[in-house]
Coordinates of all heavy atoms in Angstrom, one line a residue:
M1 N 78.0 68.6 -31.4 CA 79.3 69.1 -31.9 C 80.2 69.3 -30.7 O 81.4 69.1 -30.8 CB 79.0 70.3 -32.7 CG 80.4 71.0 -33.2 SD 81.2 70.1 -34.5 CE 82.7 70.9 -34.6
S2 N 79.6 69.7 -29.6 CA 80.5 70.0 -28.4 C 81.0 68.8 -27.8 O 80.3 67.8 -27.7 CB 79.7 70.9 -27.4 OG 80.4 70.9 -26.2
A3 N 82.3 68.8 -27.4 CA 82.8 67.6 -26.7 C 82.7 67.8 -25.2 O 83.2 67.0 -24.5 CB 84.3 67.4 -27.1
A4 N 82.0 68.9 -24.8 CA 81.9 69.1 -23.4 C 81.2 68.0 -22.7 O 80.3 67.3 -23.2 CB 81.2 70.4 -23.1
Q5 N 81.6 67.7 -21.5 CA 81.0 66.6 -20.6 C 80.4 67.2 -19.4 O 81.0 68.1 -18.8 CB 82.2 65.7 -20.3 CG 81.8 64.5 -19.5 CD 82.9 63.6 -19.2 OE1 84.1 64.0 -19.4 NE2 82.7 62.5 -18.5
R6 N 79.2 66.8 -19.2 CA 78.5 67.3 -17.9 C 78.6 66.2 -16.9 O 78.3 65.0 -17.1 CB 77.1 67.6 -18.3 CG 76.2 68.1 -17.1 CD 76.5 69.6 -17.0 NE 76.2 70.4 -18.1 CZ 75.1 70.9 -18.4 NH1 74.0 70.8 -17.6 NH2 74.9 71.7 -19.5
I7 N 79.1 66.6 -15.7 CA 79.1 65.6 -14.6 C 78.3 66.2 -13.4 O 78.0 67.4 -13.4 CB 80.5 65.4 -14.1 CG1 81.2 66.6 -13.7 CG2 81.3 64.6 -15.2 CD1 82.6 66.4 -13.1
Q8 N 77.8 65.4 -12.6 CA 77.2 65.8 -11.4 C 77.4 64.9 -10.2 O 77.7 63.7 -10.3 CB 75.7 66.1 -11.6 CG 74.9 64.9 -12.2 CD 73.5 65.2 -12.4 OE1 72.6 64.5 -12.0 NE2 73.2 66.4 -13.0
S9 N 77.2 65.5 -9.0 CA 77.3 64.7 -7.8 C 76.4 65.4 -6.7 O 75.7 66.4 -7.1 CB 78.8 64.6 -7.3 OG 78.9 63.7 -6.3
V10 N 76.4 64.9 -5.5 CA 75.6 65.5 -4.5 C 76.5 65.9 -3.3 O 77.2 65.0 -2.9 CB 74.4 64.5 -4.1 CG1 73.6 65.2 -3.0 CG2 73.6 64.2 -5.3
C11 N 76.3 67.1 -2.9 CA 77.1 67.5 -1.7 C 76.5 66.9 -0.4 O 75.3 66.4 -0.4 CB 77.0 69.0 -1.6 SG 78.0 69.7 -0.3
E12 N 77.3 66.9 0.6 CA 76.7 66.4 1.9 C 75.6 67.3 2.4 O 74.8 66.8 3.2 CB 77.8 66.4 3.0 CG 78.8 65.3 2.8 CD 80.0 65.4 3.7 OE1 79.7 65.5 5.0 OE2 81.1 65.3 3.4
C13 N 75.4 68.5 1.9 CA 74.2 69.3 2.3 C 73.1 69.0 1.4 O 72.1 69.8 1.5 CB 74.7 70.8 2.3 SG 74.8 71.5 0.6
Q14 N 73.2 68.1 0.5 CA 72.1 67.7 -0.4 C 72.0 68.6 -1.6 O 71.1 68.3 -2.4 CB 70.8 67.5 0.3 CG 70.8 66.5 1.4 CD 71.3 65.2 1.1 OE1 70.8 64.6 0.1 NE2 72.3 64.6 1.7
A15 N 72.9 69.5 -1.8 CA 72.9 70.3 -3.0 C 73.4 69.5 -4.1 O 74.3 68.6 -4.0 CB 73.8 71.5 -2.8
L16 N 72.8 69.7 -5.3 CA 73.3 69.0 -6.4 C 74.4 69.8 -7.0 O 74.3 71.0 -7.2 CB 72.1 69.0 -7.5 CG 72.5 68.3 -8.9 CD1 72.8 66.8 -8.6 CD2 71.4 68.5 -9.8
L17 N 75.6 69.1 -7.1 CA 76.8 69.8 -7.7 C 76.9 69.4 -9.2 O 76.8 68.2 -9.5 CB 78.0 69.4 -6.9 CG 78.0 69.7 -5.4 CD1 79.1 69.0 -4.7 CD2 78.1 71.2 -5.3
E18 N 77.1 70.4 -10.0 CA 77.3 70.0 -11.4 C 78.5 70.8 -12.0 O 78.8 71.9 -11.5 CB 76.1 70.4 -12.3 CG 74.8 69.6 -12.0 CD 73.7 70.0 -12.9 OE1 73.0 70.9 -12.6 OE2 73.6 69.3 -13.9
A19 N 79.1 70.2 -13.0 CA 80.2 70.9 -13.7 C 80.2 70.5 -15.1 O 79.8 69.4 -15.5 CB 81.5 70.5 -13.0
E20 N 80.7 71.4 -16.0 CA 80.8 71.1 -17.4 C 82.3 71.1 -17.7 O 83.0 72.1 -17.3 CB 80.1 72.2 -18.2 CG 80.0 71.8 -19.6 CD 79.0 72.8 -20.3 OE1 77.8 72.7 -20.2 OE2 79.5 73.8 -20.9
L21 N 82.8 70.1 -18.3 CA 84.2 69.9 -18.6 C 84.4 70.0 -20.1 O 83.6 69.6 -20.9 CB 84.7 68.5 -18.2 CG 84.4 68.1 -16.7 CD1 84.9 66.7 -16.5 CD2 85.0 69.1 -15.7
D22 N 85.6 70.6 -20.4 CA 85.9 70.6 -21.9 C 86.6 69.2 -22.2 O 86.7 68.3 -21.4 CB 86.8 71.8 -22.2 CG 88.2 71.7 -21.6 OD1 88.6 70.6 -21.1 OD2 88.9 72.7 -21.7
E23 N 87.0 69.1 -23.5 CA 87.5 67.8 -23.9 C 88.8 67.5 -23.3 O 89.2 66.3 -23.3 CB 87.6 67.8 -25.4 CG 88.5 68.9 -26.0 CD 88.3 69.0 -27.5 OE1 87.5 68.3 -28.1 OE2 89.1 69.9 -28.0
Q24 N 89.5 68.4 -22.7 CA 90.7 68.1 -21.9 C 90.5 67.7 -20.5 O 91.4 67.4 -19.8 CB 91.6 69.4 -21.9 CG 91.8 70.0 -23.2 CD 92.7 69.1 -24.1 OE1 93.5 68.4 -23.7 NE2 92.4 69.3 -25.4
G25 N 89.2 67.8 -20.1 CA 88.9 67.5 -18.7 C 89.0 68.7 -17.8 O 88.9 68.5 -16.6
L26 N 89.1 69.8 -18.3 CA 89.2 71.1 -17.5 C 87.7 71.6 -17.2 O 86.9 71.5 -18.2 CB 90.0 72.2 -18.1 CG 91.5 71.7 -18.3 CD1 92.2 72.9 -19.2 CD2 92.2 71.5 -17.0
V27 N 87.5 72.1 -16.0 CA 86.2 72.6 -15.7 C 86.0 73.9 -16.4 O 86.7 74.9 -16.2 CB 86.1 72.8 -14.2 CG1 84.8 73.4 -13.8 CG2 86.2 71.4 -13.5
L28 N 84.9 74.0 -17.1 CA 84.5 75.2 -17.7 C 83.6 76.1 -16.8 O 83.7 77.3 -16.7 CB 83.7 74.9 -19.1 CG 84.5 74.2 -20.1 CD1 83.6 73.8 -21.3 CD2 85.6 75.2 -20.7
H29 N 82.6 75.4 -16.2 CA 81.7 76.0 -15.3 C 81.3 75.0 -14.2 O 81.3 73.8 -14.4 CB 80.4 76.3 -16.0 CG 80.5 77.1 -17.3 ND1 80.8 78.4 -17.3 CD2 80.4 76.7 -18.6 CE1 80.9 78.8 -18.6 NE2 80.6 77.8 -19.4
G30 N 81.1 75.6 -13.0 CA 80.6 74.7 -11.9 C 79.5 75.4 -11.3 O 79.5 76.6 -11.2
W31 N 78.5 74.7 -10.8 CA 77.4 75.3 -10.1 C 76.8 74.3 -9.1 O 77.1 73.1 -9.1 CB 76.4 75.9 -11.0 CG 75.8 75.0 -12.0 CD1 74.7 74.2 -11.8 CD2 76.3 74.6 -13.3 NE1 74.4 73.4 -12.9 CE2 75.3 73.7 -13.9 CE3 77.4 75.1 -14.1 CZ2 75.6 73.2 -15.1 CZ3 77.6 74.6 -15.3 CH2 76.7 73.6 -15.9
A32 N 76.0 74.8 -8.2 CA 75.3 74.0 -7.2 C 73.8 74.5 -7.2 O 73.6 75.6 -7.4 CB 76.0 74.2 -5.9
R33 N 73.0 73.5 -6.7 CA 71.6 73.8 -6.7 C 71.0 73.0 -5.5 O 71.1 71.8 -5.5 CB 70.9 73.5 -8.0 CG 69.5 73.7 -8.1 CD 68.9 73.7 -9.4 NE 69.5 72.7 -10.3 CZ 69.2 72.6 -11.6 NH1 68.4 73.5 -12.1 NH2 69.8 71.7 -12.3
R34 N 70.2 73.6 -4.8 CA 69.4 72.9 -3.8 C 68.2 72.3 -4.6 O 67.8 72.8 -5.5 CB 68.9 73.8 -2.7 CG 69.9 74.1 -1.7 CD 69.2 74.7 -0.5 NE 70.1 75.5 0.3 CZ 71.0 75.0 1.2 NH1 71.1 73.7 1.3 NH2 71.8 75.8 1.9
P35 N 67.7 71.1 -4.0 CA 66.5 70.5 -4.6 C 65.4 71.7 -4.7 O 65.0 72.3 -3.8 CB 66.0 69.4 -3.7 CG 67.3 69.0 -3.0 CD 68.1 70.3 -2.9
G36 N 65.0 71.9 -6.0 CA 63.9 72.9 -6.2 C 64.4 74.3 -6.1 O 63.6 75.2 -6.3
G37 N 65.7 74.5 -6.0 CA 66.3 75.9 -5.8 C 66.9 76.4 -7.0 O 66.9 75.7 -8.0
A38 N 67.4 77.6 -7.0 CA 68.1 78.2 -8.0 C 69.5 77.8 -8.2 O 70.2 77.4 -7.1 CB 67.9 79.7 -7.9
K39 N 70.1 77.9 -9.3 CA 71.5 77.6 -9.5 C 72.4 78.7 -8.9 O 72.0 79.8 -9.0 CB 71.9 77.5 -11.0 CG 71.6 76.2 -11.7 CD 72.1 76.3 -13.1 CE 71.9 75.1 -13.9 NZ 72.4 75.2 -15.2
E40 N 73.4 78.3 -8.3 CA 74.5 79.2 -7.9 C 75.8 78.8 -8.4 O 76.1 77.6 -8.4 CB 74.5 79.3 -6.3 CG 73.2 79.7 -5.7 CD 73.4 80.1 -4.2 OE1 74.6 80.6 -3.9 OE2 72.5 79.9 -3.5
R41 N 76.6 79.7 -8.8 CA 77.9 79.4 -9.2 C 78.7 78.8 -8.1 O 78.7 79.2 -7.0 CB 78.7 80.7 -9.7 CG 78.3 81.1 -11.0 CD 79.2 82.3 -11.5 NE 80.6 81.8 -11.5 CZ 81.2 81.3 -12.6 NH1 80.5 81.2 -13.8 NH2 82.4 80.9 -12.6
A42 N 79.4 77.7 -8.5 CA 80.3 77.1 -7.5 C 81.7 76.9 -8.1 O 81.8 76.3 -9.2 CB 79.8 75.7 -7.1
P43 N 82.8 77.4 -7.4 CA 84.1 77.2 -8.0 C 84.4 75.7 -8.0 O 84.1 75.0 -7.1 CB 85.0 77.9 -7.0 CG 84.1 78.8 -6.2 CD 82.8 78.2 -6.2
A44 N 84.9 75.3 -9.1 CA 85.3 73.8 -9.3 C 86.5 73.7 -10.1 O 86.8 74.5 -10.9 CB 84.1 73.1 -10.0
N45 N 87.3 72.7 -9.7 CA 88.5 72.4 -10.4 C 88.7 70.9 -10.6 O 88.3 70.1 -9.7 CB 89.7 72.8 -9.5 CG 89.9 74.3 -9.4 OD1 90.2 75.0 -10.4 ND2 89.4 74.9 -8.3
S46 N 89.3 70.5 -11.7 CA 89.5 69.1 -11.9 C 91.0 68.8 -11.7 O 91.9 69.7 -11.8 CB 89.1 68.8 -13.4 OG 89.9 69.5 -14.3
V47 N 91.2 67.6 -11.2 CA 92.6 67.1 -10.9 C 92.8 65.8 -11.6 O 92.0 64.9 -11.5 CB 92.7 66.9 -9.3 CG1 94.1 66.5 -9.0 CG2 92.4 68.2 -8.6
G48 N 93.9 65.8 -12.3 CA 94.1 64.5 -13.0 C 93.6 64.5 -14.5 O 92.7 65.2 -14.8
H49 N 94.1 63.6 -15.2 CA 93.7 63.5 -16.7 C 93.5 62.0 -17.0 O 93.9 61.1 -16.2 CB 94.7 64.1 -17.5 CG 94.8 65.6 -17.3 ND1 94.0 66.5 -17.8 CD2 95.8 66.3 -16.7 CE1 94.3 67.6 -17.4 NE2 95.4 67.6 -16.7
G50 N 93.0 61.8 -18.1 CA 92.8 60.4 -18.6 C 91.6 59.8 -18.1 O 90.6 60.4 -17.9
E51 N 91.6 58.5 -17.8 CA 90.4 57.7 -17.5 C 89.8 58.1 -16.2 O 88.6 58.0 -16.0 CB 90.7 56.2 -17.6 CG 91.0 55.7 -19.0 CD 91.0 54.2 -19.0 OE1 90.8 53.6 -17.9 OE2 91.4 53.7 -20.1
R52 N 90.7 58.5 -15.3 CA 90.1 58.7 -13.9 C 90.5 60.1 -13.6 O 91.7 60.5 -13.8 CB 90.7 57.7 -12.9 CG 90.0 57.9 -11.5 CD 90.7 56.9 -10.6 NE 90.3 57.2 -9.2 CZ 90.8 58.2 -8.5 NH1 91.8 58.9 -9.0 NH2 90.5 58.4 -7.3
F53 N 89.6 60.9 -13.0 CA 90.0 62.3 -12.6 C 89.1 62.6 -11.4 O 88.0 62.0 -11.2 CB 89.8 63.2 -13.7 CG 88.4 63.3 -14.3 CD1 87.4 64.2 -13.9 CD2 88.0 62.3 -15.3 CE1 86.2 64.2 -14.5 CE2 86.7 62.4 -15.9 CZ 85.8 63.3 -15.4
D54 N 89.5 63.6 -10.7 CA 88.7 64.1 -9.5 C 88.3 65.5 -9.8 O 89.0 66.2 -10.5 CB 89.6 64.1 -8.3 CG 90.1 62.7 -7.9 OD1 89.4 61.7 -8.2 OD2 91.2 62.6 -7.3
V55 N 87.2 65.8 -9.3 CA 86.6 67.2 -9.4 C 86.3 67.7 -8.0 O 85.7 67.0 -7.2 CB 85.4 67.3 -10.3 CG1 84.9 68.7 -10.3 CG2 85.8 66.9 -11.7
A56 N 86.8 68.8 -7.7 CA 86.6 69.4 -6.4 C 85.7 70.7 -6.6 O 86.0 71.5 -7.3 CB 87.9 69.8 -5.7
W57 N 84.6 70.7 -5.8 CA 83.8 71.8 -5.8 C 83.9 72.5 -4.4 O 84.0 71.9 -3.5 CB 82.2 71.4 -5.9 CG 81.8 71.0 -7.2 CD1 81.2 71.8 -8.2 CD2 81.7 69.7 -7.8 NE1 80.8 71.1 -9.3 CE2 81.1 69.7 -9.0 CE3 82.1 68.4 -7.3 CZ2 80.9 68.7 -9.8 CZ3 81.9 67.4 -8.1 CH2 81.3 67.5 -9.4
Q58 N 83.8 73.8 -4.5 CA 83.5 74.6 -3.2 C 82.1 74.9 -3.2 O 81.6 75.7 -4.0 CB 84.4 75.8 -3.1 CG 84.2 76.4 -1.7 CD 85.1 77.6 -1.6 OE1 85.9 78.0 -2.4 NE2 85.0 78.3 -0.4
C59 N 81.3 74.2 -2.4 CA 79.9 74.4 -2.4 C 79.5 75.8 -1.8 O 79.9 76.1 -0.7 CB 79.2 73.3 -1.5 SG 77.4 73.4 -1.4
P60 N 78.8 76.6 -2.6 CA 78.5 77.9 -2.1 C 77.3 77.9 -1.0 O 77.1 78.8 -0.4 CB 78.0 78.6 -3.4 CG 77.4 77.5 -4.2 CD 78.2 76.3 -3.9
L61 N 76.7 76.8 -0.9 CA 75.5 76.6 0.0 C 75.9 76.3 1.4 O 75.2 76.6 2.4 CB 74.6 75.7 -0.6 CG 74.1 76.0 -2.0 CD1 73.1 75.0 -2.5 CD2 73.4 77.4 -2.0
C62 N 77.0 75.5 1.5 CA 77.4 75.0 2.9 C 78.9 75.3 3.1 O 79.4 75.2 4.3 CB 77.1 73.5 3.1 SG 78.2 72.5 2.1
G63 N 79.6 75.7 2.1 CA 81.1 76.1 2.3 C 82.0 74.9 2.3 O 83.2 75.1 2.4
R64 N 81.5 73.6 2.2 CA 82.4 72.5 2.1 C 83.2 72.5 0.8 O 82.6 72.8 -0.3 CB 81.6 71.2 2.2 CG 81.1 70.9 3.6 CD 80.4 69.5 3.5 NE 79.9 69.1 4.8 CZ 78.6 69.3 5.2 NH1 77.8 70.1 4.5 NH2 78.2 69.0 6.4
N65 N 84.3 71.9 0.9 CA 85.0 71.4 -0.3 C 84.7 70.0 -0.5 O 84.9 69.1 0.3 CB 86.6 71.5 -0.2 CG 87.0 73.0 -0.4 OD1 86.7 73.6 -1.4 ND2 87.7 73.6 0.6
T66 N 84.1 69.7 -1.6 CA 83.6 68.3 -1.9 C 84.4 67.8 -3.1 O 84.4 68.4 -4.2 CB 82.1 68.4 -2.3 OG1 81.4 68.9 -1.2 CG2 81.6 67.0 -2.5
L67 N 85.1 66.7 -2.9 CA 85.9 66.0 -3.9 C 85.2 64.7 -4.4 O 84.9 63.9 -3.5 CB 87.3 65.7 -3.3 CG 88.3 65.2 -4.2 CD1 88.7 66.2 -5.3 CD2 89.5 64.6 -3.5
R68 N 85.1 64.6 -5.6 CA 84.4 63.3 -6.2 C 85.3 62.8 -7.3 O 85.9 63.6 -8.0 CB 83.0 63.6 -6.7 CG 82.1 64.1 -5.7 CD 81.6 62.9 -4.8 NE 80.5 63.4 -3.9 CZ 80.7 63.7 -2.6 NH1 82.0 63.8 -2.1 NH2 79.7 64.0 -1.8
S69 N 85.3 61.5 -7.4 CA 86.1 60.8 -8.5 C 85.1 60.5 -9.6 O 84.1 60.0 -9.4 CB 86.8 59.6 -8.0 OG 87.8 60.0 -7.0
F70 N 85.6 60.6 -10.8 CA 84.8 60.2 -12.0 C 85.7 59.5 -13.0 O 86.9 59.5 -12.9 CB 84.4 61.5 -12.7 CG 83.4 62.4 -11.9 CD1 83.9 63.3 -11.1 CD2 82.0 62.1 -12.0 CE1 83.0 64.1 -10.3 CE2 81.2 62.8 -11.2 CZ 81.6 63.8 -10.3
H71 N 85.0 58.7 -13.8 CA 85.7 58.0 -14.9 C 85.2 58.6 -16.2 O 84.1 58.8 -16.4 CB 85.4 56.5 -14.9 CG 86.0 55.8 -13.7 ND1 87.2 55.3 -13.8 CD2 85.5 55.6 -12.5 CE1 87.5 54.7 -12.6 NE2 86.5 54.9 -11.7
S72 N 86.2 58.8 -17.0 CA 85.9 59.4 -18.3 C 85.2 58.3 -19.2 O 85.3 57.1 -19.0 CB 87.1 59.9 -19.0 OG 87.3 59.2 -20.3
A73 N 84.4 58.8 -20.1 CA 83.6 57.8 -20.9 C 84.4 57.1 -21.9 O 84.0 56.2 -22.5 CB 82.4 58.6 -21.6
K74 N 85.7 57.6 -22.2 CA 86.5 57.1 -23.2 C 87.0 55.7 -22.9 O 87.6 55.5 -21.9 CB 87.7 58.0 -23.5 CG 87.3 59.2 -24.2 CD 88.5 60.1 -24.4 CE 88.0 61.5 -24.8 NZ 89.1 62.5 -24.8
Ligands
ZN101 ZN1 77.0 71.8 0.2

């Protein structure tokens, strides 16, 4: 029933970055996790709408701002 979309990428520090987006493409939650580690909240923002959008995470594990491009499934 939920239209939320889950995306993920990998930070340069090897943390797994994940975010959940609503149907408008806005970030609902962002988090980061080291391999085998616990989830930590990571501030994340989406930029752009439509078929192509970017998501920027601030990785809580290394402090980098990590920007990744995604294509919507539509
Ligand atoms: Zn990182």
